[in-house]
């Protein structure tokens, strides 16, 4: 289904500050943001902190930091205010109290004085009788005047009086009408004994006050949606357009866990993912635009439709994300990629490497590695040898594999040939290649066999950016010193053998 709504949408991201924002929650934010931008509307960030026992200190900052890192700017929100401020539910209690009072006055709600022990016993009895749990409506029978008098001095909650008959229909943009028999709903709490609202009350009150047009949220809220609809109706508020979308599953089904790469957004940032890649990837996890995979942000804004997200739960495919991140990295203009690499290396290189880092060096090796990394975190192992004053010679056995197995003397001799061939060569990648290919051919060696020795000697690693370009960057003196050291090590290994 596509969205019939034509005007600018007001869409909100309404996280509870209960910890690090995870990918499922962030996908809600991405979809809401894209839809707001798609329609030329507004994106709001509202903090839903009415369950104060679950609040994790610092999470509001982490949520906002995640949104900022992703480049999801908001028009109104907890930190910047806006025409319907405040955007933090714990600061909006008066509005919930007023709404609850209106519902009490109209007879759509009543105070409930049942002690927690009674409710516990009721739940146990219902379980034992295999009935669905729910409030039995005992306090519904108290005369309103008596209830109001008792409420002045006795601890109580406020419950919504769900009609005993009939059915409630919720229009969901993805599903069409969802019909629920009212007798299956119990009289649920809207105001707790601490005078904080439940989500069931706070959502209709705030989304009305903030002129929200579309409520996009996880489908774990679908069973509660009829309750919300009843409150909207009882308060005389127009209902928003609901979009209940399925959660993201782990590969093979089941709940997404860390093991499957479902980290918090800021961990993705630490691991060297690009915000654009994350936005693209999460957006197409559960929504699609033909067979397109790489859809840049400005294009997503044009084509994203909140009414077209899939009802089939999507799975989190970390390999796809890594691949996409590699594409985004490669597509960056070279200077921008070099900036990302520089920022990453400022953080990853040991403190002994002088700061600020040499930008000319980074500009020189950036083209050599751009095809070889999917994540910025993979840059350091590829380039650290450029920063080492001297690369320690790896143990002889690392050289003596495959063709060189058990042949330390031959390996040393071949390095000697390479060193001789470099004598007087102009230190450019082209000249180095000509000289060393010539040396291999002259000595009857496979080029790969000789180059693997040189690579390990110069860089200390078996896998590196292209050899000759790397040698050109490292420079003649360090390269020759490392080649001599490796030759000597292999000679003494040969003597020792
Ligand atoms: N605070 C709710 C949650 O974090 C938000 C649900 C909604 O978007 O309405 O699950």
């Amino acid at each position: 289904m596509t969205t019939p709504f034509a005007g600018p949408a007001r869409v909100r991201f309404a996280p509870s500050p209960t910890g690090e924002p995870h990918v499922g929650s962030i996908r809600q934010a991405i979809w809401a943001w894209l839809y707001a931008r798609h329609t030329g509307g507004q994106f709001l960030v509202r903090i839903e902190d009415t369950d104060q026992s679950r609040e994790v200190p610092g999470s509001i900052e982490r949520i906002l930091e995640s949104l900022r890192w992703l480049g999801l700017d908001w028009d109104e929100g907890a930190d910047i205010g806006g025409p319907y401020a405040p955007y933090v539910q714990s600061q909006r209690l008066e509005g919930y109290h007023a709404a609850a009072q209106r519902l009490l006055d109209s007879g759509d709600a009543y105070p409930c004085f049942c002690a927690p022990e009674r409710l516990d016993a009721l739940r146990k009895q219902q379980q034992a009788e295999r009935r669905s749990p729910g409030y039995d409506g005992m306090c519904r029978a108290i005369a309103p005047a008596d209830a109001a008098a008792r409420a002045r001095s006795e601890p109580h909650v406020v419950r919504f009086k769900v009609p005993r008959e009939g059915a409630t229909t919720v229009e969901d943009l993805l599903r069409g009408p969802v019909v629920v028999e009212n007798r299956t709903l119990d009289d649920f709490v809207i105001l707790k004994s601490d005078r904080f609202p439940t989500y069931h009350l706070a959502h209709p009150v705030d989304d009305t006050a903030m002129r929200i047009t579309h409520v996009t949220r996880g489908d774990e809220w679908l069973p509660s949606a009829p309750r919300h609809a009843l409150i909207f109706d009882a308060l005389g508020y127009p209902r928003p357009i609901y979009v209940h979308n399925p959660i993201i599953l782990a590969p093979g089904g089941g709940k997404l866990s860390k093991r499957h790469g479902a980290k918090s957004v800021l961990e993705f940032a630490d691991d060297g993912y690009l915000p654009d890649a994350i936005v693209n990837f999460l957006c197409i996890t559960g929504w699609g635009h033909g067979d397109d995979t790489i859809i840049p942000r400005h294009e997503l804004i044009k084509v994203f439709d909140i009414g077209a997200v899939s009802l089939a739960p999507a799975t989190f495919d970390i390999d796809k994300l890594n691949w996409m991140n590699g594409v985004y990295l490669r597509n960056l203009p070279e200077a921008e990629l070099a900036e990302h690499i520089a920022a990453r290396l400022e953080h990853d290189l040991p403190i002994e490497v002088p700061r600020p880092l040499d930008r000319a060096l980074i500009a020189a090796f950036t083209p050599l590695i751009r095809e070889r990394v999917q994540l910025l975190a993979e840059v350091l192992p590829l380039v650290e040898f450029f920063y080492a004053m001297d690369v320690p010679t790896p143990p002889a056995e690392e050289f003596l594999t495959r063709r060189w197995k058990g042949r330390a003397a031959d390996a040393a001799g071949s390095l000697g040939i390479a060193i001789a061939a470099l004598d007087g060569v102009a230190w450019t990648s082209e000249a180095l290649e000509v000289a060393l290919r010539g040396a291999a051919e002259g000595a009857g060696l496979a080029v790969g066999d000789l180059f693997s020795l040189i690579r390990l000697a110069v860089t200390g690693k078996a896998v590196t950016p292209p050899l000759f370009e790397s040698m050109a960057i490292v420079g003649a003196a360090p390269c020759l010193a490392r080649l001599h050291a490796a030759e000597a090590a292999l000679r003494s290994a040969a003597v020792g053998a």
Side-chain angles (χ1 to χ4, degrees), residues 12-18 25 28 46-48 89 199 203 207 215-218 220-221:
R12 83 293 192 282
F13 174 50
S16 298
T18 52
S25 156
Q28 298 292 359
R46 180 175 74 223
I47 300 298
E48 304 211 321
Q89 287 188 326
Y199 175 75
H203 146 54
D207 284 329
V215 168
T216 75
R217 59 186 181 187
E220 73 270 22
W221 290 113

Side-chain angles (χ1 to χ4, degrees), residues 248-251 256 260 281 285 314-324:
I248 304 177
L249 295 180
L256 203 52
H260 297 111
F281 168 75
T285 300
T315 42
F316 187 88
D317 184 348
I318 187 79
D319 295 330
K320 184 168 169 183
L321 170 60
N322 291 346
W323 171 80
M324 288 177 69

Side-chain angles (χ1 to χ4, degrees), residues 209-335:
M210 296 176 183
R211 311 283 189 273
I212 295 301
T213 56
H214 294 69
V215 168
T216 75
R217 59 186 181 187
D219 62 7
E220 73 270 22
W221 290 113
L222 188 59
S224 304
R227 297 188 171 93
H228 306 157
L230 285 167
I231 294 193
F232 274 100
D233 295 355
L235 288 169
Y237 295 158
R239 299 186 197 169
I241 295 172
Y242 280 110
V243 189
H244 292 96
N245 49 259
I247 59 166
I248 304 177
L249 295 180
K255 214 169 151 358
L256 203 52
S257 67
K258 273 217 162 187
R259 199 162 61 81
H260 297 111
K263 293 170 285 194
S264 79
V265 169
L266 295 175
E267 286 174 284
F268 280 109
D270 287 345
D271 289 346
Y273 290 86
L274 293 177
D276 280 342
I278 299 272
V279 167
N280 184 165
F281 168 75
L282 284 178
C283 180
I284 64 165
T285 300
W287 170 83
H289 183 60
D291 290 335
D292 296 355
T293 307
I294 302 293
I295 315 176
R297 188 186 295 246
H298 63 271
E299 200 54 41
L300 285 174
I301 290 175
K302 272 193 228 147
V303 296
F304 179 70
D305 183 353
I306 195 72
V309 309
S310 169
L311 269 182
T315 42
F316 187 88
D317 184 348
I318 187 79
D319 295 330
K320 184 168 169 183
L321 170 60
N322 291 346
W323 171 80
M324 288 177 69
N325 200 68
V327 173
Y328 270 90
L329 276 179
R330 281 193 290 284
N331 286 349
L332 287 176
E334 198 159 294

Side-chain angles (χ1 to χ4, degrees), residues 309-370:
V309 309
S310 169
L311 269 182
T315 42
F316 187 88
D317 184 348
I318 187 79
D319 295 330
K320 184 168 169 183
L321 170 60
N322 291 346
W323 171 80
M324 288 177 69
N325 200 68
V327 173
Y328 270 90
L329 276 179
R330 281 193 290 284
N331 286 349
L332 287 176
E334 198 159 294
E336 211 177 302
L337 176 59
E339 271 316 301
H340 279 286
I341 289 176
R344 183 76 203 185
L345 290 176
E346 292 281 353
H347 174 268
D348 286 0
L349 276 167
I351 42 167
E352 296 79 52
V353 179
R355 305 297 204 275
L357 296 175
D358 175 357
R359 293 305 161 112
L361 173 61
I362 294 174
F365 65 62
T366 293
L368 307 188
I369 61 169
R370 70 181 303 152

